[in-house]
Amino acid sequence: MVGETTITVVGNLTDDPELRLTPSGDAVAHFAVASTPRAFDRETGKWRDAETLFLRCSAWGQLAGHAAESLTRGTRVIVQGRLRQRTYETKEGERRTVVECEVDEVGPSLRFATAQVTKAPRASVFAGAGPSADGLFARSDGEPPTPRQGEEPF
């Protein structure tokens, strides 16, 4: 959307992504990324860590399921998304404002690691039934999702 603040953050996951379903059946994964910038201090000849940024992130739909299935605590990730500010009221009646990232893309950083990419089957609609034993996007009858009529399978 025009005028939105986009951000790219590289950092480590502080915990495993938490996958939940909304009352309407939409999948959402919540996770936090810790990013600590480093700078070389010429006076001391050493690297110096700056203050760590902790950014709460939300991924929706198939991205939520893929993130929860693929990423774990400590994984170095690259997150791209849009900053969102929301205000809420606590149980004590205090108004609070938080800034979060609504994730468009997330994946492991390959700077210090390797990864094997497996293409997930394409689901026409993410069924809100939650993960099954046969996989996160399998149909209730255990068969893989079928493409819509006229739609390419990949």
Side-chain angles (χ1 to χ4, degrees), residues 109-126:
S109 169
L110 301 181
R111 186 172 187 181
F112 302 114
T114 61
Q116 184 170 345
V117 178
T118 305
K119 189 166 184 142
R122 190 172 188 185
S124 58
V125 176
F126 180 80

Side-chain angles (χ1 to χ4, degrees), residues 9-12 33-39 48-54 76:
V9 176
V10 178
N12 296 343
V33 176
S35 180
T36 306
R38 298 185 87 197
R48 182 177 44 87
D49 288 341
E51 191 170 340
T52 301
L53 165 73
F54 292 93
R76 186 172 178 87

Side-chain angles (χ1 to χ4, degrees), residues 5 8 18 21 23 27 30 46 60-61 65 70 74 78 81 96 101 113-114 117 123 128 137 149 154:
T5 304
T8 301
E18 182 181 336
L21 295 174
H30 295 287
K46 296 181 180 180
W60 292 85
S70 305
I78 303 169
R96 300 232 174 123
C101 179
T114 61
V117 178
F137 301 107
Q149 189 172 8
F154 298 101

Side-chain angles (χ1 to χ4, degrees), residues 24-41:
S24 62
D26 296 324
V28 60
H30 295 287
F31 54 91
V33 176
S35 180
T36 306
R38 298 185 87 197
F40 189 75
D41 186 343

Side-chain angles (χ1 to χ4, degrees), residues 14-141:
T14 62
D15 212 346
D16 293 344
E18 182 181 336
L19 182 64
R20 292 187 175 188
L21 295 174
T22 65
S24 62
D26 296 324
V28 60
H30 295 287
F31 54 91
V33 176
S35 180
T36 306
R38 298 185 87 197
F40 189 75
D41 186 343
R42 291 182 184 207
E43 292 179 15
T44 64
K46 296 181 180 180
W47 287 95
R48 182 177 44 87
D49 288 341
E51 191 170 340
T52 301
L53 165 73
F54 292 93
L55 182 63
R56 291 286 307 154
C57 301
S58 299
W60 292 85
Q62 285 187 326
L63 179 60
H66 294 163
E69 195 172 286
S70 305
L71 304 173
T72 58
R73 178 180 190 236
T75 303
R76 186 172 178 87
V77 294
I78 303 169
V79 176
Q80 186 273 322
R82 293 160 280 134
L83 284 180
R84 297 280 190 236
Q85 178 176 306
R86 86 182 152 85
T87 303
Y88 66 96
E89 197 168 299
T90 65
K91 293 177 184 177
E92 294 79 30
E94 299 172 337
R95 288 179 56 87
R96 300 232 174 123
T97 301
V98 294
V99 175
E100 302 169 321
C101 179
E102 190 170 311
V103 178
D104 292 321
E105 300 284 342
V106 61
S109 169
L110 301 181
R111 186 172 187 181
F112 302 114
T114 61
Q116 184 170 345
V117 178
T118 305
K119 189 166 184 142
R122 190 172 188 185
S124 58
V125 176
F126 180 80
S132 70
D134 295 328
L136 192 58
F137 301 107
R139 296 186 338 194
S140 59
D141 61 4

